[in-house]
Amino acid sequence: MELSKRKEGISLKYLVIKAQKGDAQAFIELIERNKQSMYKVARSYFQNEEDIADALQDTIEACYRSIPHLVNPEYFRTWLIRITINKCIDIIRKNRREHPTAEFPEQGEICMELKNCEFEELMRSLDEKYRTVLLLYYGEGFKISEIAQLLDMEENTVKTRLTRGRKKFREIWSAQSAAT
């Protein structure tokens, strides 16, 4: 297990270095390996696929332009997720300016996949600061120190948000379970 992780790390670092030197295929491979993580992060911010697609497109474009400036190739994934978060926040800000009144989706659009519907609704009912930390920790497997670096906050703040996010998630889940 440890050997395969080390080999994966070496090949990832090699791909990043190649992409930094202008190898488009290496960059495409990096994006392919991380597209699921990028999608999960964007999905935690948005309900509609158009906003998710915009965030992913903006992220890929920004990464392609900025990858030569990435100092530590081993932190590519962390760097990529941070850019994804920033692009999501940019789109939220832009949408707020363009659409001051809230738009309510049709009932059929709220839940595309029935099996994930309840979970996604629970996650969306959480404050963004808790939702993001929970997604990065449980969904993407980042360590607390990595999340702190990604979100530019103290590790104790991340721990507090994880604890409070778990508690709020349980409260909401319990309340919804009792109602059904």
Side-chain angles (χ1 to χ4, degrees), residues 2-175:
E2 187 63 37
L3 182 62
S4 66
K5 264 189 161 181
R6 197 172 325 136
K7 282 183 180 179
E8 183 180 317
I10 292 170
S11 71
L12 179 68
K13 187 175 178 181
Y14 175 72
L15 281 173
V16 173
I17 292 169
K18 283 180 69 172
Q20 288 179 312
K21 292 179 180 178
D23 186 331
Q25 270 314 116
F27 182 78
I28 291 168
E29 177 64 26
L30 288 168
I31 296 300
E32 281 295 317
R33 288 185 181 191
N34 291 284
K35 68 182 178 184
Q36 192 69 25
S37 296
M38 292 166 46
Y39 180 84
K40 287 179 186 177
V41 169
R43 183 81 178 149
S44 76
Y45 282 89
F46 304 113
Q47 290 183 6
N48 70 43
E49 293 296 323
E50 292 83 16
D51 286 338
I52 294 169
D54 287 346
L56 296 182
Q57 181 178 347
D58 292 350
T59 299
I60 292 167
E61 181 183 336
C63 287
Y64 188 75
R65 278 188 278 108
S66 301
I67 197 165
H69 308 292
L70 178 62
V71 177
N72 295 319
E74 59 270 9
Y75 293 120
F76 174 79
R77 184 168 180 258
T78 303
W79 175 75
L80 178 69
I81 297 301
R82 179 70 234 176
I83 292 173
T84 305
I85 291 168
N86 288 340
K87 293 302 176 183
C88 290
I89 292 169
D90 290 347
I91 290 170
I92 289 169
R93 287 182 184 140
K94 185 181 117 197
N95 287 347
R96 241 185 251 143
R97 285 192 304 267
E98 291 178 1
H99 307 290
T101 58
E103 292 182 23
F104 296 99
E106 295 292 323
Q107 186 65 26
E109 292 176 358
I110 294 174
C111 300
M112 296 278 185
E113 299 177 19
L114 209 50
K115 64 182 180 176
N116 292 327
C117 178
E118 288 181 30
F119 177 75
E120 287 179 11
E121 280 185 40
L122 279 173
M123 287 298 285
R124 281 197 186 84
S125 64
L126 290 174
D127 190 324
E128 178 185 319
K129 64 185 179 184
Y130 302 127
R131 183 174 62 236
T132 301
V133 171
L134 287 170
L135 174 79
L136 292 173
Y137 187 77
Y138 290 109
E140 295 305 314
F142 282 104
K143 297 175 186 164
I144 290 173
S145 60
E146 294 170 327
I147 297 170
Q149 181 184 11
L150 265 172
L151 301 179
D152 193 28
M153 62 180 61
E154 296 292 324
E155 286 186 32
N156 285 335
T157 305
V158 174
K159 290 176 186 176
T160 300
R161 288 186 181 181
L162 271 172
T163 302
R164 290 180 182 165
R166 288 181 198 117
K167 182 180 178 192
K168 290 189 180 290
F169 187 90
R170 270 192 299 273
E171 288 171 0
I172 294 167
W173 184 73
S174 295

